[in-house]
Amino acid sequence: MSARILVVDDVPANVKLLEARLSAEYFDVMTASNGTEALALARRAECDIILLDVMMPDMDGFEVCRRLKTDPATHHIPVVMVTALDSPADRNRGLEAGADDFLTKPVSDVVLIARVRSLTRLKMMTDELRMRAITSLEIGMQAPERSAVADTGKGGRVLLVDDRESSYQRLASILAAEHTVDVEPNPTEALFHAAEGNYDLLIVSLDLNNFDGLRLCSQARSLERTRHVPILAIAEAENSTRLLRGLEIGVNDYLLRPLDKTELLARARTQIRRRRYTDHLRDNVQNSIEMAITDALTGLHNRRYMESHLATLAEQAATRGKPLALMILDIDYFKSINDNFGHDGGDDVLREFAVRVRKSIRGIDLACRYGGEEFVIVMPETDLHVAGMVAERLRRSIAGEPFTVHKGTKRVEVTISIGLTTLEQKGEAVADVLKRADMALYRAKHDGRNRVVSHAA
């Protein structure tokens, strides 16, 4: 996979070495010799991952990382600190600044490339979500960047999978200071537990007795309900090969024993923050999709959705040899409602009308706002006789009780006219069915309104 890697280091020899390593793996490499230059490149969205030295003259790597992670425009870019500093305090300082990893020089080619590839996959997934979520901003939904920057990463739900009591007791006691922690000592039950628990982070020991921890990680990645839960693996120092394999199959981060308390908490916070951010992006995407096919006022499907979905329902009905009923409903004298009660009163009527429609039809039926005060209901596997009974019941529901408007201060009598038909001829065009229902509606209104008129196929 190709990605743009920004190498930030003030020592030319270090830059050339990293550039050679990464270019050999077909990554596109760009460089910066100081923090100011790096920040400018990142803000222009010219890189996918940043490899950042700590010791630089104008601005050290900790400050560069902190600025990247507190800027809504750059906080989502993965940052790996690559430095000669090797103390736990330095590592924790880097993680607290927001770094996704902290690698101490000399870094083996295998470890470096595995980490870059892992973060590249993560970045590409995030970029795809960000691109899809642009529509959400265009329709007025709040962007998640600022809340992501302010997120502390605390208060998450963590599932710890470890079958050594002394180990999981210590880990759980550390994590409990910031998160809600569940422990699953039985690896065979862990996947079910993870799928049911709606967790923000899955921590897996790779040193389980009689069970392959990497297999559990792989299964979590293949299961729909746990596919997006970040995984933090824990292993003994001599298990570095397995850890690298874990990064290939989807492990997000790892820790080596003996564990440092501060580092554990810092890495957990990083993963939970990222999980919340991507979840927010997914929610925005889903909401924008729903808004694109939903009428904002009534909550029913809109005409665009109806026209595309009706064709599918008609095809299914024809294939299975089942009837399909369709009715067009029109609120009688709706213009006078707007004239007498204002457009806000008319909106109140439309909202309540949608509620009554939902109560009168089945879950498999399709109810749409066709435009203005016209609505369409499509009823699969329903013949003309049954559809007529439903239509009459709906007509009585509307006419039988006045609608309240202006927060209940006024009441208005409402009636509807309904045109009804069915699709029973295989291959009949959907447009012809709609036209036939519309002709029936015209007759209903012409004959005095507040009635149901059927037009047989």
Side-chain angles (χ1 to χ4, degrees), residues 267-284:
R267 290 186 184 273
R269 287 194 296 268
T270 295
Q271 295 305 319
I272 290 171
R273 276 196 301 266
R274 191 174 288 277
R275 164 66 190 267
R276 289 170 177 167
Y277 173 61
T278 54
D279 278 355
H280 198 153
L281 285 175
R282 288 190 185 90
D283 288 344
N284 275 14

Side-chain angles (χ1 to χ4, degrees), residues 72-143:
T74 58
H75 81 97
H76 63 286
I77 303 175
V79 176
V80 179
M81 289 191 165
V82 184
T83 176
L85 300 177
D86 61 356
S87 72
D90 290 322
R91 182 185 305 108
N92 292 332
R93 188 180 173 192
L95 295 171
E96 292 287 350
D100 294 81
D101 207 349
F102 192 101
L103 302 179
T104 301
K105 299 175 182 177
V107 182
S108 76
D109 289 356
V110 174
V111 171
L112 176 66
I113 299 304
R115 202 68 181 103
V116 169
R117 282 178 174 160
S118 172
L119 290 171
T120 296
R121 285 191 293 269
L122 177 65
K123 176 64 164 45
M124 288 182 172
M125 178 196 71
T126 304
D127 282 349
E128 183 176 355
L129 285 172
R130 282 166 55 84
M131 180 181 66
R132 292 182 180 181
I134 289 175
T135 304
S136 305
L137 305 182
E138 294 173 347
I139 58 179
M141 297 178 64
Q142 184 178 2

Side-chain angles (χ1 to χ4, degrees), residues 113-312:
I113 299 304
R115 202 68 181 103
V116 169
R117 282 178 174 160
S118 172
L119 290 171
T120 296
R121 285 191 293 269
L122 177 65
K123 176 64 164 45
M124 288 182 172
M125 178 196 71
T126 304
D127 282 349
E128 183 176 355
L129 285 172
R130 282 166 55 84
M131 180 181 66
R132 292 182 180 181
I134 289 175
T135 304
S136 305
L137 305 182
E138 294 173 347
I139 58 179
M141 297 178 64
Q142 184 178 2
E145 276 74 16
R146 295 200 176 276
S147 59
V149 167
D151 190 356
T152 63
K154 298 180 180 180
R157 298 195 69 243
V158 179
L159 178 62
L160 172 60
V161 184
D162 193 339
D163 56 7
R164 290 192 299 177
E165 186 175 0
S166 60
S167 173
Y168 67 66
Q169 284 184 347
R170 178 173 180 266
L171 291 173
S173 65
I174 294 172
L175 292 163
E178 297 184 355
H179 311 286
T180 300
V181 185
D182 291 337
V183 176
E184 179 51 79
N186 184 352
T188 59
E189 297 292 327
L191 192 63
F192 300 101
H193 198 160
E196 296 293 329
N198 191 28
Y199 290 100
D200 298 303
L201 177 63
L202 180 60
I203 300 180
V204 179
S205 170
L206 299 189
D207 305 304
L208 300 169
N209 293 316
N210 303 316
F211 197 91
D212 187 350
L214 285 181
R215 182 170 297 279
L216 175 60
C217 295
S218 177
Q219 290 171 339
R221 279 292 164 265
S222 63
L223 188 67
E224 178 64 30
R225 297 179 68 177
T226 56
R227 182 168 298 157
H228 302 299
V229 180
I231 300 174
L232 175 60
I234 297 177
E236 302 293 342
E238 59 269 19
N239 278 351
S240 58
T241 301
R242 283 172 55 75
L243 282 172
L244 296 177
R245 177 61 176 153
L247 291 174
E248 292 177 3
I249 63 175
V251 169
N252 298 81
D253 201 359
Y254 63 86
L255 276 167
L256 297 176
R257 301 182 194 270
L259 299 179
D260 178 83
K261 172 183 175 180
T262 306
E263 183 176 358
L264 171 62
L265 290 173
R267 290 186 184 273
R269 287 194 296 268
T270 295
Q271 295 305 319
I272 290 171
R273 276 196 301 266
R274 191 174 288 277
R275 164 66 190 267
R276 289 170 177 167
Y277 173 61
T278 54
D279 278 355
H280 198 153
L281 285 175
R282 288 190 185 90
D283 288 344
N284 275 14
V285 171
Q286 182 61 35
N287 289 338
S288 66
I289 292 172
E290 291 177 1
M291 292 181 73
I293 63 173
T294 303
D295 175 61
L297 179 63
T298 64
L300 301 177
H301 289 298
N302 59 21
R303 180 170 182 164
R304 177 193 302 174
Y305 180 82
M306 185 276 294
E307 290 177 342
S308 62
H309 197 57
L310 177 56
T312 302

Side-chain angles (χ1 to χ4, degrees), residues 351-388:
R351 279 189 286 264
E352 175 61 24
F353 179 78
V355 171
R356 297 192 193 186
V357 166
R358 288 194 190 94
K359 290 180 178 178
S360 300
I361 62 176
R362 304 166 299 177
I364 64 170
D365 297 332
L366 173 65
C368 307
R369 185 180 181 189
Y370 197 52
E373 65 273 21
E374 275 195 344
F375 296 79
V376 171
I377 298 176
V378 185
M379 294 174 287
E381 300 186 17
T382 305
D383 60 25
L384 195 62
H385 174 69
V386 174

